Amino acid sequence: SFPTRRSSDLFIEDLEALDQRIFLLYYFYQESPETIAEQTDLNVSAIYNRLSRGRKRLKERMTIDGF
């Protein structure tokens, strides 16, 4: 079954504040990594790394939660 909004909210809460912001800007507001890098004073490769780690955490969390 597809995860509910509630389960995805719980995942977001597991991330550090900066990672939450990056994840939301990229996946929900569809900002480019370049734009996010400018807004967060990080370089573009750091944005990609944080997105990758966030996806990995989501996958682990969904596996643990049975999704």
Side-chain angles (χ1 to χ4, degrees):
S1 74
F2 192 74
T4 63
R5 179 173 170 83
R6 183 177 189 139
S7 60
S8 63
D9 288 345
L10 293 174
F11 159 71
I12 295 292
E13 292 173 2
D14 287 345
L15 298 176
E16 295 176 15
L18 179 58
D19 291 334
Q20 287 180 23
R21 182 176 176 205
I22 291 168
F23 201 86
L24 289 171
L25 286 170
Y26 186 76
Y27 287 106
F28 292 96
Y29 296 104
Q30 300 181 347
E31 295 287 348
S32 70
E34 293 78 12
T35 300
I36 298 168
E38 290 173 11
Q39 293 177 9
T40 58
D41 292 325
L42 296 172
N43 62 44
V44 175
S45 64
I47 300 302
Y48 281 113
N49 286 336
R50 286 173 178 266
L51 288 168
S52 177
R53 285 194 298 264
R55 287 190 304 270
K56 182 179 177 183
R57 287 187 194 129
L58 174 60
K59 182 178 178 182
E60 290 168 356
R61 178 66 181 261
M62 292 177 75
T63 301
I64 290 169
D65 291 349
F67 291 104

